[in-house]
Amino acid sequence: MVISVSAKWWKATFWGMLLLGITGCGTFSGSSVSSSSGLVMAMPKQYPAVTGFSFSAVSPELEGAVSTLQLNNQNHLAAVISWTNVPHSASFLLWQPGATHPPIIPYFHVSATALSPSSQIIVGGESNGKNVITFGQHQWTWSASTTRAPQWITASWNQVIYAVAPGTKGGWDIIKISSQKLVSESPLPLNAGQHIVAIAAAQNGGLWIATSHPNQIVLWRQGTFQQSYSLPGRVMTLVCPQNPRSLKSANSVIALLASPSALPGTADSVVEIASHHLRVDKLAMAWLVGTQQVPFIAGASSADWVSPHHLLLTLWDSGLNQVAIARLNLDTGQATILPNSIFHPNLLNAQAPFFPLTASPSKNLIVVGQGYGLAFYITSSATWTQFMK
């Protein structure tokens, strides 16, 4: 597949907007929406197939990575791109089926981002001496004398937003926004030296928090830790389901875990917490792929909880510089690599091998962030027609 994006637009829009935001008036969120002058994709010759593109080919001035992805049931693709050579900036891409001019919104002075269940971006940062969270047309501020800018943000299906920020006197604070109001700001009861590594909104209320030193997952609710689990490794990411129907029980959560024996930069275990029970499934490190049984040595990079019984994973083989998409059966702990899902990612120099993914509710379309670009796993010509109609 060949995908072309207007080099003139990418260079002028991204570089110009980002520099304007950094050197301009200190605006926290970009108020102008830009669109490309054309995005053309050629149909794959066979299915299933992976195809993709790298923005670096048309915009070498910028260095960034797709950090978050989300597909809804209309196949609208939301993505957050974080820029590495333009500090504290990010862009929000919203791509609808058939759109050749996907809008992109730039944000500046960014400390944390997340995508809401409604595929809107939530942005945390600092502006004019105040901490700020922006969600759509809404914006909340609080004094920078109590906390620093948020470092993590997440949202539940009932649109409760949680942010975690360092306290100005040490420790960590939680900021909770509900019914479009900033309703609370309270310290987290963590031990000295305990670091937060990931958060995820609990669908039945509260916040899942993963920590290191020690390695734990805790459930914070109403000012206290109501559940706590010790882990045999460090959490790389926390995963909540695409929708509440994917829950086996109230307040379930999944974590990708890197044990001491994991391949560098990847996870080798999947932890599921449901009904106050913790289960650990060890992932294979060596895979045999296709009819030729080609060796694939990989660890997990990211996950999407697509049904009550299945998890999709991206696997990273650093030796071959390849990514694969796998499906894990949560009931049996068995994982298989999807047919024709292996591809070479477009990573910039020294870029971390992080490959977020998202699947449509029908599972016919899977999108993977591959550094400064996107890869599409398309299962049939009908899916292609539906997505590109």
Side-chain angles (χ1 to χ4, degrees):
M1 166 175 282
V2 176
I3 302 174
S4 64
V5 184
S6 168
K8 179 179 179 181
W9 176 81
W10 281 102
K11 292 178 181 179
T13 302
F14 273 103
W15 193 241
M17 281 189 173
L18 289 174
L19 286 180
L20 178 62
I22 294 301
T23 61
C25 301
T27 303
F28 174 68
S29 62
S31 58
S32 59
V33 178
S34 302
S35 60
S36 71
S37 59
L39 189 154
V40 180
M41 305 173 97
M43 184 168 25
K45 297 180 180 179
Q46 61 181 9
Y47 299 93
V50 173
T51 183
F53 63 89
S54 172
F55 298 128
S56 61
V58 294
S59 184
E61 302 95 336
L62 291 175
E63 296 178 4
V66 176
S67 57
T68 314
L69 288 169
Q70 187 170 289
L71 271 170
N72 63 18
N73 53 12
Q74 284 85 40
N75 279 345
H76 294 176
L77 175 65
V80 177
I81 304 171
S82 300
W83 306 108
T84 53
N85 65 338
V86 184
H88 309 298
S89 60
S91 294
F92 174 56
L93 165 70
L94 183 62
W95 187 357
Q96 299 180 9
T100 56
H101 300 77
I104 294 181
I105 304 174
Y107 289 85
F108 314 107
H109 307 285
V110 174
S111 62
T113 60
L115 289 175
S116 74
S118 58
S119 298
Q120 296 184 70
I121 190 172
I122 308 171
V123 182
E126 180 273 334
S127 181
N128 298 322
K130 291 185 177 181
N131 298 309
V132 185
I133 291 178
T134 297
F135 177 44
Q137 300 301 313
H138 304 285
Q139 189 173 88
W140 301 270
T141 63
W142 68 98
S143 173
S145 65
T146 56
T147 79
R148 305 187 191 282
Q151 298 299 301
W152 289 272
I153 296 179
T154 187
S156 66
W157 277 90
N158 57 357
Q159 301 292 4
V160 176
I161 298 173
Y162 296 94
V164 176
T168 55
K169 296 181 180 180
W172 297 90
D173 282 24
I174 282 187
I175 295 88
K176 180 180 178 182
I177 298 171
S178 181
S179 301
Q180 300 180 7
K181 295 180 180 179
L182 198 157
V183 297
S184 67
E185 178 188 334
S186 56
L188 277 173
L190 294 173
N191 299 323
Q194 196 168 10
H195 299 291
I196 297 174
V197 296
I199 67 171
Q203 300 305 312
N204 200 30
L207 183 69
W208 289 106
I209 302 172
T211 70
S212 61
H213 307 291
N215 295 315
Q216 288 184 327
I217 293 178
V218 296
L219 175 62
W220 177 92
R221 187 192 291 161
Q222 298 177 347
T224 63
F225 291 150
Q226 298 189 0
Q227 297 179 41
S228 178
Y229 303 88
S230 296
L231 303 173
R234 187 178 187 273
V235 171
M236 291 188 59
T237 186
L238 291 175
V239 184
C240 281
Q242 288 185 344
N243 60 69
R245 289 176 295 179
S246 294
L247 289 171
K248 292 183 178 179
S249 65
N251 280 357
S252 298
V253 70
I254 282 176
L256 294 186
L257 191 76
S259 73
S261 59
L263 295 171
T266 67
D268 61 352
S269 302
V270 174
V271 174
E272 182 182 9
I273 298 174
S275 302
H276 297 265
H277 175 72
L278 182 144
R279 168 178 168 172
V280 180
D281 288 316
K282 195 80 169 180
L283 296 172
M285 186 177 295
W287 309 69
L288 296 175
V289 181
T291 56
Q292 302 296 321
Q293 296 291 279
V294 177
F296 189 81
I297 311 300
S301 172
S302 187
D304 188 17
W305 196 349
V306 293
S307 78
H309 306 284
H310 291 95
L311 189 74
L312 288 178
L313 300 164
T314 47
L315 305 175
W316 163 241
D317 185 328
S318 59
L320 297 177
N321 184 31
Q322 288 184 335
V323 174
I325 304 171
R327 180 187 291 112
L328 173 70
N329 187 312
L330 293 170
D331 296 327
T332 65
Q334 298 299 310
T336 56
I337 291 178
L338 300 183
N340 301 330
S341 70
I342 298 178
F343 64 94
H344 291 279
N346 290 299
L347 294 178
L348 302 176
N349 293 333
Q351 195 164 44
F354 177 62
F355 305 100
L357 82 162
T358 182
S360 63
S362 65
K363 322 301 184 299
N364 291 329
L365 175 65
I366 301 171
V367 184
V368 179
Q370 52 159 340
Y372 187 24
L374 295 171
F376 300 83
Y377 181 76
I378 302 171
T379 58
S380 66
S381 60
T383 300
W384 169 265
T385 301
Q386 182 183 22
F387 184 64
M388 297 303 296
K389 65 183 177 182

